[in-house]
mmCIF file of all heavy atoms in Angstrom:
data_model
loop_
_atom_site.group_PDB
_atom_site.id
_atom_site.type_symbol
_atom_site.label_atom_id
_atom_site.label_comp_id
_atom_site.label_asym_id
_atom_site.label_seq_id
_atom_site.Cartn_x
_atom_site.Cartn_y
_atom_site.Cartn_z
ATOM 1 N N PRO A 2 33.451 22.595 -9.482
ATOM 2 C CA PRO A 2 32.636 22.076 -10.587
ATOM 3 C C PRO A 2 31.151 22.271 -10.318
ATOM 4 O O PRO A 2 30.706 22.224 -9.172
ATOM 5 C CB PRO A 2 33.002 20.582 -10.629
ATOM 6 C CG PRO A 2 33.513 20.282 -9.258
ATOM 7 C CD PRO A 2 34.183 21.531 -8.792
ATOM 8 N N ILE A 16 19.901 8.528 -0.664
ATOM 9 C CA ILE A 16 19.442 8.804 0.699
ATOM 10 C C ILE A 16 18.069 8.178 0.935
ATOM 11 O O ILE A 16 17.814 7.557 1.975
ATOM 12 C CB ILE A 16 19.397 10.329 0.942
ATOM 13 C CG1 ILE A 16 20.800 10.919 0.884
ATOM 14 C CG2 ILE A 16 18.741 10.634 2.294
ATOM 15 C CD1 ILE A 16 20.837 12.432 0.780
ATOM 16 N N ALA A 22 15.543 1.104 3.303
ATOM 17 C CA ALA A 22 16.197 -0.081 3.879
ATOM 18 C C ALA A 22 16.073 -0.086 5.398
ATOM 19 O O ALA A 22 15.838 -1.139 6.015
ATOM 20 C CB ALA A 22 17.665 -0.116 3.460
ATOM 21 N N ILE A 37 20.080 7.385 9.229
ATOM 22 C CA ILE A 37 20.262 7.573 7.794
ATOM 23 C C ILE A 37 21.688 8.040 7.497
ATOM 24 O O ILE A 37 22.313 7.608 6.509
ATOM 25 C CB ILE A 37 19.221 8.564 7.237
ATOM 26 C CG1 ILE A 37 17.819 7.977 7.417
ATOM 27 C CG2 ILE A 37 19.483 8.875 5.767
ATOM 28 C CD1 ILE A 37 16.686 8.913 7.034
ATOM 29 N N ILE A 38 22.216 8.904 8.355
ATOM 30 C CA ILE A 38 23.613 9.337 8.204
ATOM 31 C C ILE A 38 24.549 8.141 8.295
ATOM 32 O O ILE A 38 25.462 7.970 7.478
ATOM 33 C CB ILE A 38 23.960 10.380 9.286
ATOM 34 C CG1 ILE A 38 23.225 11.693 8.992
ATOM 35 C CG2 ILE A 38 25.468 10.606 9.371
ATOM 36 C CD1 ILE A 38 23.285 12.702 10.126
ATOM 37 N N ASN A 61 9.446 11.707 0.051
ATOM 38 C CA ASN A 61 10.017 11.304 -1.236
ATOM 39 C C ASN A 61 10.011 9.789 -1.398
ATOM 40 O O ASN A 61 9.750 9.264 -2.492
ATOM 41 C CB ASN A 61 11.440 11.848 -1.366
ATOM 42 C CG ASN A 61 11.974 11.747 -2.773
ATOM 43 O OD1 ASN A 61 11.280 12.043 -3.750
ATOM 44 N ND2 ASN A 61 13.208 11.329 -2.908
ATOM 45 N N ARG A 67 4.995 4.565 -4.363
ATOM 46 C CA ARG A 67 3.692 4.589 -5.026
ATOM 47 C C ARG A 67 3.839 4.443 -6.531
ATOM 48 O O ARG A 67 3.035 3.773 -7.183
ATOM 49 C CB ARG A 67 2.956 5.888 -4.696
ATOM 50 C CG ARG A 67 2.283 5.888 -3.338
ATOM 51 C CD ARG A 67 1.381 7.105 -3.190
ATOM 52 N NE ARG A 67 0.665 7.082 -1.914
ATOM 53 C CZ ARG A 67 -0.228 7.989 -1.553
ATOM 54 N NH1 ARG A 67 -0.504 8.994 -2.374
ATOM 55 N NH2 ARG A 67 -0.840 7.895 -0.391
ATOM 56 N N GLU A 74 -2.708 0.425 -13.006
ATOM 57 C CA GLU A 74 -2.828 -0.133 -14.357
ATOM 58 C C GLU A 74 -3.465 -1.515 -14.326
ATOM 59 O O GLU A 74 -4.241 -1.872 -15.223
ATOM 60 C CB GLU A 74 -1.458 -0.188 -15.021
ATOM 61 C CG GLU A 74 -0.897 1.184 -15.395
ATOM 62 C CD GLU A 74 0.401 1.086 -16.158
ATOM 63 O OE1 GLU A 74 0.857 -0.063 -16.430
ATOM 64 O OE2 GLU A 74 0.983 2.142 -16.490
ATOM 65 N N ASP A 124 0.685 10.656 16.149
ATOM 66 C CA ASP A 124 1.226 11.959 15.750
ATOM 67 C C ASP A 124 0.644 12.336 14.392
ATOM 68 O O ASP A 124 1.349 12.357 13.381
ATOM 69 C CB ASP A 124 2.756 11.879 15.693
ATOM 70 C CG ASP A 124 3.417 13.244 15.591
ATOM 71 O OD1 ASP A 124 2.687 14.239 15.368
ATOM 72 O OD2 ASP A 124 4.651 13.326 15.726
ATOM 73 N N PRO A 125 -0.656 12.646 14.340
ATOM 74 C CA PRO A 125 -1.311 12.926 13.061
ATOM 75 C C PRO A 125 -0.701 14.097 12.301
ATOM 76 O O PRO A 125 -0.648 14.083 11.073
ATOM 77 C CB PRO A 125 -2.770 13.204 13.452
ATOM 78 C CG PRO A 125 -2.732 13.520 14.905
ATOM 79 C CD PRO A 125 -1.597 12.744 15.471
ATOM 80 N N ASN A 134 2.466 16.721 0.445
ATOM 81 C CA ASN A 134 3.008 17.120 -0.856
ATOM 82 C C ASN A 134 3.069 15.973 -1.856
ATOM 83 O O ASN A 134 3.713 16.090 -2.909
ATOM 84 C CB ASN A 134 4.406 17.720 -0.671
ATOM 85 C CG ASN A 134 4.372 19.041 0.068
ATOM 86 O OD1 ASN A 134 3.474 19.851 -0.132
ATOM 87 N ND2 ASN A 134 5.336 19.247 0.954
ATOM 88 N N LEU A 158 -27.375 -2.118 -14.256
ATOM 89 C CA LEU A 158 -27.632 -2.984 -15.407
ATOM 90 C C LEU A 158 -28.341 -4.278 -15.005
ATOM 91 O O LEU A 158 -28.741 -5.070 -15.872
ATOM 92 C CB LEU A 158 -26.309 -3.325 -16.109
ATOM 93 C CG LEU A 158 -25.609 -2.170 -16.839
ATOM 94 C CD1 LEU A 158 -24.199 -2.590 -17.256
ATOM 95 C CD2 LEU A 158 -26.422 -1.745 -18.058
ATOM 96 N N HIS A 162 -27.007 -8.131 -7.816
ATOM 97 C CA HIS A 162 -28.153 -7.797 -6.960
ATOM 98 C C HIS A 162 -27.646 -7.707 -5.518
ATOM 99 O O HIS A 162 -27.838 -8.640 -4.720
ATOM 100 C CB HIS A 162 -29.250 -8.851 -7.109
ATOM 101 C CG HIS A 162 -29.674 -9.035 -8.544
ATOM 102 N ND1 HIS A 162 -30.548 -8.174 -9.167
ATOM 103 C CD2 HIS A 162 -29.307 -9.960 -9.477
ATOM 104 C CE1 HIS A 162 -30.722 -8.565 -10.431
ATOM 105 N NE2 HIS A 162 -29.996 -9.648 -10.643
ATOM 106 N N SER A 172 -17.365 0.032 2.108
ATOM 107 C CA SER A 172 -16.833 0.277 3.452
ATOM 108 C C SER A 172 -16.479 -1.035 4.131
ATOM 109 O O SER A 172 -15.474 -1.123 4.855
ATOM 110 C CB SER A 172 -17.847 1.064 4.294
ATOM 111 O OG SER A 172 -19.017 0.296 4.555
ATOM 112 N N VAL A 187 1.263 -8.328 11.242
ATOM 113 C CA VAL A 187 1.624 -8.583 12.648
ATOM 114 C C VAL A 187 2.134 -10.005 12.829
ATOM 115 O O VAL A 187 3.096 -10.251 13.570
ATOM 116 C CB VAL A 187 0.421 -8.303 13.576
ATOM 117 C CG1 VAL A 187 0.681 -8.833 14.982
ATOM 118 C CG2 VAL A 187 0.115 -6.809 13.613
ATOM 119 N N THR A 199 -0.985 -18.858 12.550
ATOM 120 C CA THR A 199 -0.140 -18.072 11.642
ATOM 121 C C THR A 199 -0.159 -18.608 10.224
ATOM 122 O O THR A 199 -0.173 -17.835 9.258
ATOM 123 C CB THR A 199 1.305 -18.013 12.171
ATOM 124 O OG1 THR A 199 1.318 -17.279 13.410
ATOM 125 C CG2 THR A 199 2.224 -17.315 11.181
ATOM 126 N N ASP A 200 -0.174 -19.919 10.064
ATOM 127 C CA ASP A 200 -0.185 -20.498 8.713
ATOM 128 C C ASP A 200 -1.434 -20.111 7.927
ATOM 129 O O ASP A 200 -1.423 -20.148 6.687
ATOM 130 C CB ASP A 200 -0.078 -22.024 8.784
ATOM 131 C CG ASP A 200 1.301 -22.493 9.234
ATOM 132 O OD1 ASP A 200 2.248 -21.686 9.146
ATOM 133 O OD2 ASP A 200 1.429 -23.655 9.669
ATOM 134 N N GLN A 207 -6.606 -15.476 3.260
ATOM 135 C CA GLN A 207 -7.552 -14.499 3.797
ATOM 136 C C GLN A 207 -8.310 -13.759 2.687
ATOM 137 O O GLN A 207 -9.527 -13.549 2.787
ATOM 138 C CB GLN A 207 -6.804 -13.490 4.678
ATOM 139 C CG GLN A 207 -6.151 -14.100 5.913
ATOM 140 C CD GLN A 207 -7.169 -14.635 6.896
ATOM 141 O OE1 GLN A 207 -8.126 -13.948 7.232
ATOM 142 N NE2 GLN A 207 -6.979 -15.856 7.363
#
Side-chain angles (χ1 to χ4, degrees):
I16 295 166
I37 297 174
I38 290 169
N61 193 43
R67 280 190 177 183
E74 289 185 2
D124 193 350
N134 292 322
L158 291 169
H162 305 280
S172 66
V187 168
T199 294
D200 290 341
Q207 297 294 311

